[in-house]
Amino acid sequence: MTRLAPPFLRPLLSACVLSLSVLSGCDKAPDPVPDAGTSVPTEDSGTDAGSLPDWDGTYTELEERGDWLDRGRFAPCTFDSQSAPASLSCEDLARFDVSQCDPDALASVGASGVYLADLRAETRLSDGGTRISGLSAGFKLEVDGGGTLNNSPFRVRNTDGGAFFLSTERTFLNVTTVTALVGCKVPSPGLVTGCYARCRDGRFSQTGTFEAHRMTWPAGEAESSGGMRLVSEAPVPLGESVDVYVAREHAYVVSLPKFGRLGGLTVFDVKDRAHTVLKTTISLPGDNSWNGVWAKGDALYVASAATGVVLFDITDPASPRFVRSLPGGGDFGAHTVLVDGDRLYAMSGGQMLLVFDVSRPLEPVLRQSILPPPDGDLSSPHDAFAYGGRLYVSNSYGGYAVLDVTDLDNVRTLGTYVHGAYAHHSAVGTFAGCTIAFEGTEFNASHVRVLDVSSPERIVKIGEFRMRPVTSVHNMLLVGKRLYVAWYMDGVRVLDVSNPTRPRQVAHFNTFQESHPEASDIIFQGTYGIRVPGDGYVYTANVPRGLVILNEP
C-alpha cells in the first residue's frame, strides 16, 4: 500500500462503453516460461456453475473505462450553495433539501457499523461548468453514539428518529476542511445513499451525492466458498501487518507503525499451521516503517521507508540477525521488494527503482538504478513483476510500464499502459502462447485488469474483474491458472483465469471483521499481503487481525 499521492489528486476517467472491435489474437512472442496449464480442468466451487473452455488466444479488445464509473446521482437530495455569502457552513442543515428522502427507512439503519462510501463529486468550475468525479470516504458508527468520519471523530452525529447527519473537521497543511453527510434513502439493507458538502476555511468547496456500503460481507455471501477455511490466525504485536513471506517453515510479517505501536518484523514458527508460535519481534531505532519482505537463501530483505532495504541473516530462521541497510531511494527509502533469480529489485517511495546483484544473498551489490517512464511528480515505481527478461512496473499514476532488463547496462522501455488510476501491483503469465498481465490498481473502485502484453508497444485490455465499487485491491499472485487477490475489505478472492478474458471467482474468504475493536473506516483495512508458497496453505497479512492462514483451495 502507498499513501504518497492523496486520492483527490488522481486523474479520473469518465465512463465509456466497451469497444466492439474486431476479434483479435495476441502476437505470440517467444517466451521461455511454459504455458499456465490452461488445459487442466477447474474444480467448481459453487460460486459460478460450469467450467470454461480452453482459451484459444483470441479476444475482443476492450476500451479502457478507468476505475471509477459514473453511475449517476445516488440520491434525490441537494445542497444549496448558490443563495449564500462567500462564507457559509456546510453543517447548516437548512441548506440540504431532503424533501424527497425517506426518514422511516433511515430509522432502520443500525447504531453501529463500518461503512465505505462512493462520493459522486460535483465541483463547480470557474467557467460555470461542473466537473463530475469519484472520491471515497468512510465512516464508523459506534453504538455509544460516537464514531468517525474519514477516521476523524464526529463533530456532529444525529442518527436518531429517522435523521442521518454526520460531520467532521480536519486540518491539513493549515487548511481546515469540514465534511458533512446527510442520509436520504436506504435502497437495501447495509446500503445508505444521500448528499454531502465540503467547506474549506469556511468557504464552500464541493457537493455531491454518496452511496455508502456497510462493510459486512458482500450481499448473499457466506464467510467463504470453494472449500477455503480458516486454519489459524495470530495477532501481530508490532503496528499494522502489511506483508508476509514464508521460508523455512517460518512466516516473516512486516508492519507499519500504528496507534503508537512501533512497526517492524514479527517472526512466527508455522511448522504446525493450526498452532503458530511467535518467535521474536524486531524494530530498529528510528527505522521500523517496513512495508515489504522477501527471502533468498540465508537472506531476508525488508523494504524500509527510512533506510532502503534492511538485510537480515536467517541462518537461524527463528532469530533473524541484522546485517546492514542497503542504499535506498533518497528520502523515500524503499517501499516494496522483489527477488528474481540473482536480482533484488527495490522500489523506492520516490521515483527510482534499484537493482542489486544477490548471487551471494548476504552480500548484495547495487547494480543499477532505473527511472521508469514517465518522469513526473505523480509517477513512482510502487511495485514490479519480473518475467521472461522483462520488468513490469506499476508506476503509480504514471501507469503500467514494460521494461527490457536483460541487459542492465541498456534498460529499454518497451511500452506503457496508462489508465488514469493508481497502478499498484501485477502478475504476469503465459496463456495459449500469449503473455498476459493481471494488473491491479488501488483506492476505491480499483479492480483487476487483464492486459495482453505480448507486444508491449501496443498493450491491449482484454478482460476485467470487479468487486464492490467502494473497496480496493492490494496485491495478487498468479499460481498456474488461478489468481489470488488480496482485496483489502473484500478479503481473499481466488479467480480462475484459464480463460483470461473471463476471470471468474472460484473461491473466497472474507477476512475483514467489522466488529474487531481496531476496525476503522479507512479503506486500507483487511487483507494486505498474500503468499501461496505451494505447501497447501495461503498466508495473509491482515489489518487488524495479523497473520491469517487459510487452506489452499
Side-chain angles (χ1 to χ4, degrees):
M1 181 204 66
T2 185
R3 299 187 179 93
L4 297 175
F8 61 81
L9 289 179
R10 66 188 186 280
L12 292 163
L13 302 180
S14 60
C16 55
V17 299
L18 293 179
S19 169
L20 298 178
S21 62
V22 177
L23 198 67
S24 305
C26 62
D27 295 323
K28 300 179 181 180
D31 199 310
V33 184
D35 202 79
T38 56
S39 62
V40 180
T42 301
E43 177 181 314
D44 182 62
S45 69
T47 58
D48 186 8
S51 60
L52 298 178
D54 290 346
W55 187 51
D56 61 4
T58 60
Y59 53 78
T60 300
E61 182 176 342
L62 304 182
E63 187 172 349
E64 179 57 59
R65 303 183 297 169
D67 272 8
W68 184 78
L69 305 179
D70 187 3
R71 295 175 286 145
R73 289 179 57 83
F74 293 123
C77 50
T78 58
F79 177 80
D80 178 14
S81 63
Q82 300 293 333
S83 58
S87 178
L88 60 83
S89 170
C90 283
E91 294 175 307
D92 184 356
L93 272 173
R95 294 189 176 279
F96 287 91
D97 181 355
V98 293
S99 58
Q100 299 182 61
C101 296
D102 188 346
D104 291 337
L106 292 170
S108 69
V109 177
S112 64
V114 173
Y115 290 78
L116 291 183
D118 183 1
L119 305 185
R120 185 181 186 271
E122 303 168 8
T123 305
R124 195 163 61 230
L125 303 177
S126 57
D127 63 5
T130 301
R131 182 179 70 245
I132 304 299
S133 59
L135 303 174
S136 65
F139 57 87
K140 180 179 181 180
L141 304 177
E142 296 175 348
V143 71
D144 62 1
T148 56
L149 173 58
N150 293 332
N151 209 34
S152 295
F154 292 134
R155 274 167 53 103
V156 179
R157 172 183 170 178
N158 182 3
T159 54
D160 298 326
F164 194 95
F165 179 71
L166 310 172
S167 74
T168 192
E169 177 182 280
R170 171 178 282 183
T171 299
F172 180 69
L173 297 178
N174 295 320
V175 176
T176 298
T177 300
V178 172
T179 301
L181 275 65
V182 173
C184 185
K185 300 277 188 177
V186 183
S188 61
L191 194 67
V192 179
T193 64
C195 291
Y196 80 95
R198 276 188 175 150
C199 294
R200 289 192 169 94
D201 288 338
R203 303 174 71 89
F204 171 74
S205 172
Q206 186 183 84
T207 187
T209 55
F210 72 86
E211 179 183 81
H213 296 241
R214 186 170 179 181
M215 287 294 101
T216 49
W217 302 336
E221 279 196 347
E223 181 180 39
S224 65
S225 70
M228 291 196 85
R229 68 180 188 279
L230 178 67
V231 176
S232 66
E233 67 178 284
V236 172
L238 296 177
E240 56 180 13
S241 48
V242 294
D243 199 15
V244 58
Y245 198 87
V246 181
R248 301 180 177 183
E249 296 193 292
H250 285 74
Y252 300 92
V253 181
V254 292
S255 304
L256 302 175
K258 184 180 182 182
F259 294 146
R261 300 196 304 262
L262 297 177
L265 173 66
T266 302
V267 182
F268 293 94
D269 183 326
V270 294
K271 295 184 186 70
D272 182 352
R273 276 73 176 178
H275 303 91
T276 61
V277 178
L278 173 64
K279 302 302 292 186
T280 190
T281 61
I282 301 173
S283 285
L284 300 180
D287 183 3
N288 59 80
S289 184
W290 294 350
N291 188 78
V293 59
W294 210 285
K296 176 180 170 65
D298 290 331
L300 187 75
Y301 309 106
V302 174
S304 163
T307 58
V309 179
V310 181
L311 173 62
F312 290 95
D313 183 339
I314 54 171
T315 302
D316 178 356
S319 183
R321 178 178 64 83
F322 172 74
V323 178
R324 64 188 177 99
S325 294
L326 309 179
D331 295 335
F332 296 99
H335 193 65
T336 54
V337 287
L338 164 73
V339 172
D340 178 54
D342 287 337
R343 292 181 183 177
L344 165 65
Y345 295 94
M347 280 54 72
S348 164
Q351 295 183 348
M352 197 63 67
L353 188 156
L354 305 179
V355 189
F356 297 87
D357 180 337
V358 289
S359 52
R360 295 186 177 187
L362 286 169
E363 300 176 17
V365 176
L366 181 62
R367 181 67 179 79
Q368 188 58 275
S369 299
I370 300 172
L371 184 64
D375 180 9
D377 291 340
L378 294 179
S379 65
S380 172
H382 176 275
D383 219 322
F385 190 93
Y387 188 79
R390 295 174 177 177
L391 195 65
Y392 297 82
V393 182
S394 298
N395 200 26
S396 58
Y397 292 122
Y400 190 57
V402 184
L403 309 182
D404 182 338
V405 291
T406 52
D407 180 359
L408 285 177
D409 293 320
N410 184 31
V411 175
R412 297 181 299 120
T413 300
L414 302 179
T416 59
Y417 185 85
V418 180
H419 40 51
Y422 192 99
H424 186 268
H425 197 254
S426 73
V428 183
T430 301
F431 294 79
C434 306
T435 306
I436 302 299
F438 301 91
E439 191 263 345
T441 48
E442 195 180 41
F443 300 114
N444 60 310
S446 68
H447 58 284
V448 177
R449 284 176 175 79
V450 184
L451 306 174
D452 177 8
V453 293
S454 303
S455 299
E457 67 276 8
R458 186 181 182 276
I459 298 175
V460 177
K461 180 179 177 181
I462 66 174
E464 68 177 19
F465 185 88
R466 292 177 179 262
M467 289 293 295
R468 291 181 283 187
V470 293
T471 59
S472 174
V473 171
H474 191 243
N475 287 354
M476 62 186 70
L477 289 172
L478 181 61
V479 181
K481 55 189 171 60
R482 288 192 168 185
L483 187 71
Y484 289 77
V485 187
W487 212 301
Y488 279 122
M489 285 193 183
D490 274 334
V492 176
R493 301 286 151 172
V494 185
L495 309 181
D496 173 4
V497 293
S498 55
N499 181 344
T501 68
R502 295 171 57 194
R504 64 162 188 154
Q505 180 174 292
V506 294
H508 84 278
F509 195 96
N510 279 304
T511 59
F512 180 66
Q513 294 177 331
E514 180 194 49
S515 60
H516 194 286
E518 292 186 12
S520 76
D521 59 34
I522 296 298
I523 192 172
F524 306 120
Q525 295 262 296
T527 304
Y528 269 70
I530 187 167
R531 301 288 177 183
V532 187
D535 60 359
Y537 299 90
V538 178
Y539 301 80
T540 72
N542 187 277
V543 174
R545 294 173 70 174
L547 174 65
V548 176
I549 303 177
L550 311 168
N551 69 298
E552 185 177 354

